Amino acid sequence: QSVLTQPPSASGTPGQRVTISCSGSTSNIGSNHVCWYQQLPGTAPKLLIYRNNQRPSGVPDRFSGSKSGTSASLAISGLRSEDEADYYCAAWDDSLSGPVFGGGTRLTVL
Amino acid sequence: EVQLVQSGAEVKKPGESLKISCKGSGYSFTSYWIGWVRQMPGKGLEWMGIIYPGDSDTTYSPSFQGQVTISTDKSISTAYLQWSSLKASDTAMYYCARRYYDLGYYFDYWGQGTLVTVSS
């Protein structure tokens, strides 16, 4: 059971906007920044969002992140078939002195 | 260009030992922490531990403390993850990743992964 809670699945049609939620606690999301990773099938995870809402160079602005209290969310607008992947939220946990991950959300583009 | 290149896939028997590697290039290897992350078949990401190559300071996740050893050889910019006695439940993909700090911690570069299969 993962420390951060995400829905196991999400779906949308091309062009739609989808959001993925991530719930934690005061020791992780509540006191530290959230990041998101995208894992395309058969590949290593890739940093998608850091510091709650910042995009690394090369990540399209269709991807956006937000955080409020002990929850965070990832939004993907203008959904494309190549967005079909697993998405993981993560945050540093002060109790663990290490990062904790969500269980992952599999996004299907219908 | 920052790169983390991991050693190749391994097939081992229960009880055997194993050491896998992660070689960094394109940046100052001793200046960034390297973490290890496990992904069991069809499952999510789990943080195992992290090491600072500059002085080998290491922190383990409680779930993996005593189960694995993380080390580094800074002379060859390489981090290691090792087991002294593998179990079938160690079958997984293992990733190394560089930890970056920018008002918060995150893994900005990842290795390609090393698949470890433990089977009799």
Side-chain angles (χ1 to χ4, degrees):
Chain A
Q1 189 169 353
S2 302
V3 175
L4 305 182
T5 301
Q6 298 179 235
S9 63
S11 63
T13 56
Q16 262 191 332
R17 181 177 189 271
V18 298
T19 60
I20 298 171
S21 62
C22 175
S23 177
S25 68
T26 53
S27 66
N28 41 67
I29 294 178
S31 51
N32 295 289
H33 293 297
V34 174
C35 61
W36 292 85
Y37 299 98
Q38 177 193 57
Q39 188 175 32
L40 296 169
T43 69
K46 167 193 161 186
L47 181 65
L48 194 67
I49 296 285
Y50 67 97
R51 213 200 307 163
N52 303 328
N53 55 20
Q54 301 298 302
R55 289 184 305 277
S57 174
V59 174
D61 59 7
R62 301 186 297 107
F63 295 90
S64 61
S66 64
K67 174 189 143 177
S68 179
T70 58
S71 294
S73 64
L74 172 71
I76 308 171
S77 60
L79 200 59
R80 304 175 69 160
S81 58
E82 58 259 40
D83 298 333
E84 200 161 89
D86 293 325
Y87 293 85
Y88 295 90
C89 61
W92 195 260
D93 190 289
D94 294 332
S95 301
L96 188 64
S97 294
V100 289
F101 292 95
T105 298
R106 176 151 295 180
L107 175 64
T108 301
V109 180
L110 303 169
Chain B
E1 177 196 7
V2 174
Q3 281 193 312
L4 294 173
V5 178
Q6 298 184 230
S7 49
E10 302 274 1
V11 179
K12 292 289 191 180
K13 291 181 169 29
E16 291 186 330
S17 62
L18 176 64
K19 191 174 189 177
I20 63 174
S21 66
C22 168
K23 183 174 176 60
S25 62
Y27 73 100
S28 174
F29 185 73
T30 54
S31 299
Y32 296 85
W33 291 74
I34 292 286
W36 287 94
V37 175
R38 182 177 77 174
Q39 187 169 37
M40 299 178 77
K43 302 298 184 183
L45 306 174
E46 302 172 87
W47 173 66
M48 302 177 71
I50 198 161
I51 189 165
Y52 187 68
D55 61 7
S56 295
D57 186 16
T58 308
T59 301
Y60 292 93
S61 163
S63 299
F64 293 92
Q65 179 83 48
Q67 308 303 308
V68 297
T69 301
I70 295 171
S71 61
T72 184
D73 184 342
K74 61 185 179 182
S75 69
I76 55 172
S77 302
T78 300
Y80 301 98
L81 178 66
Q82 69 181 80
W83 295 259
S84 58
S85 181
L86 287 160
K87 301 184 286 285
S89 57
D90 292 317
T91 294
M93 182 71 83
Y94 294 88
Y95 295 101
C96 65
R98 187 182 83 162
R99 191 186 80 173
Y100 191 82
Y101 178 76
D102 179 1
L103 300 180
Y105 297 112
Y106 51 92
F107 293 123
D108 62 346
Y109 287 92
W110 293 66
Q112 83 277 18
T114 295
L115 180 62
V116 174
T117 303
V118 184
S119 174
S120 54

